[in-house]
Amino acid sequence: MELVHKISEMQALASAWRAAGLSVGLVPTMGSLHEGHMSLVRKSAEENDRTVVSVFVNPIQFGANEDFDRYPRDLSRDLSLCGRAGADAVFNPSAAEMYPEGFCSRVEMSVLTENLCGKTRPAHFRGVCTVVLKLFLAALPDRAYFGQKDAQQLAVVRRMARDFNMRIEVVGAPIVREADGLAMSSRNAYLTAAERAAAPCLFRALSGGAELCRRGVVEARGIERRVREILSETPLARVDYVEVVDAETMRPLETVAGPALCAAAVYIGETRLIDNIALEARAGH
Ligand code: PAF
């Protein structure tokens, strides 16, 4: 497995693969890899001749008071996990390599970024789209893999690929959960023992909302109310948002009639966790 730090070297490696007729899969990550990431790496290795994992903690997607400085970093562990999961290269650029002196371009997206995490983290998706575009142009993938835990990010990247006519298939993969339902996330490492014990309330609450919908409640406000009710039973949980949205556009819904998600962001102590669940309305509604 190769470790690549320079964009030009990543482009040369990916171009050589493509010239040899090999397909390339990219798994963009910020490192501190967990089983959720590894499921993406394995899927890419199954579906492509070559797999690149990018490991880059992207400064421009963090707000001023967010956790950029303390975001967990462990490159040597990440490298050994990637090797074992079948990656062919890890792309690990420095911030100066990605954003050299004078860098002043950004990718802007409206509509899909206007609620959920986009509301609480106003510059976040501008930073995500900009770095993902740069990673795409470095690794030249045929397919790129993203977890469904970050449902809004997945929808935003899909939209960007479509809007800019990129010849890249954006592949979403199921959320990987701990045994007690907590979605895997690098930020789970911030939780104290008491917070970790409380954190499964997020999936429990979303499951309660989804269950209500399965039983025939299609009004978004009713589903959201149920999720908030369950969350309120956990004193350590503070709601940022709970919202029923269209699965493709991320716009808030009044009623669940087609593909929809209930998405939530909750602070457990100081740590902000996100998760979501698909909603299936009972036939006939
Ligand atoms: O999901 C993440 O880890 C990041 O937002 C991504 C897609 C790697 C961009 O920095």
Side-chain angles (χ1 to χ4, degrees):
M1 191 182 70
E2 308 216 24
L3 174 59
V4 183
H5 297 293
K6 295 279 171 224
I7 294 171
S8 57
E9 285 165 17
M10 188 66 251
Q11 287 170 328
L13 184 60
S15 300
W17 286 337
R18 295 183 67 121
L22 301 172
S23 60
V24 179
L26 170 67
V27 183
T29 81
M30 297 206 296
S32 186
L33 303 178
H34 51 66
E35 189 45 37
H37 296 115
M38 301 332 293
S39 72
L40 302 178
V41 179
R42 285 193 296 268
K43 187 168 170 61
S44 173
E46 272 165 34
E47 296 177 357
N48 301 280
D49 299 311
R50 295 289 181 269
T51 288
V52 179
V53 181
S54 63
V55 174
F56 177 61
V57 185
N58 176 34
I60 67 166
Q61 72 185 70
F62 289 80
N65 299 316
E66 294 181 356
D67 54 343
F68 173 70
D69 288 332
R70 69 178 192 123
Y71 196 85
R73 292 159 169 91
D74 190 347
L75 184 62
S76 57
R77 182 176 166 276
D78 291 346
L79 290 175
S80 73
L81 287 172
C82 287
R84 273 187 270 145
D88 299 281
V90 169
F91 177 47
N92 175 231
S94 66
E97 175 73 5
M98 291 296 270
Y99 306 118
E101 186 72 29
F103 185 93
C104 56
S105 302
R106 293 289 187 275
V107 179
E108 278 292 342
M109 184 178 297
S110 59
V111 187
L112 274 82
T113 61
E114 281 160 13
N115 68 330
L116 306 177
C117 291
K119 225 187 240 168
T120 322
R121 308 181 70 193
H124 176 65
F125 288 112
R126 188 184 307 142
V128 169
C129 287
T130 304
V131 79
V132 169
L133 175 62
K134 288 199 61 127
L135 294 170
F136 282 2
L137 292 171
L140 308 174
D142 297 281
R143 298 183 189 83
Y145 295 80
F146 294 84
Q148 280 162 356
K149 179 174 78 70
D150 299 283
Q152 189 174 20
Q153 169 171 278
L154 174 61
V156 162
V157 173
R158 277 209 170 114
R159 186 75 246 178
M160 177 175 77
R162 202 181 313 159
D163 286 354
F164 291 110
N165 309 97
M166 295 175 180
R167 292 166 68 172
I168 298 172
E169 185 189 345
V170 176
V171 182
I175 301 174
V176 179
R177 299 185 180 281
E178 303 284 359
D180 59 10
L182 176 64
M184 290 203 184
S185 162
S186 307
R187 290 190 168 96
N188 293 350
Y190 298 153
L191 300 169
T192 64
E195 290 165 355
R196 175 62 190 83
C201 67
L202 178 50
F203 181 56
R204 200 164 57 241
L206 290 168
S207 303
E211 173 59 22
L212 199 65
C213 185
R214 261 195 306 277
R215 283 200 263 121
V217 175
V218 291
E219 292 76 26
R221 297 301 87 79
I223 297 167
E224 291 164 3
R225 202 175 317 115
R226 180 73 192 123
V227 173
R228 283 175 180 275
E229 239 168 53
I230 299 174
L231 285 169
S232 71
E233 292 161 8
T234 301
L236 277 175
R238 180 167 55 86
V239 174
D240 176 1
Y241 64 74
V242 173
E243 205 156 354
V244 172
V245 295
D246 179 283
E248 192 179 330
T249 65
M250 298 289 127
R251 301 305 296 164
L253 293 173
E254 293 289 322
T255 307
V256 177
L261 295 176
C262 185
V266 169
Y267 290 91
I268 305 288
E270 294 299 303
T271 302
R272 183 174 174 279
L273 300 179
I274 61 171
D275 199 353
N276 65 84
I277 198 162
L279 298 177
E280 291 154 39
R282 207 169 57 188
H285 281 272

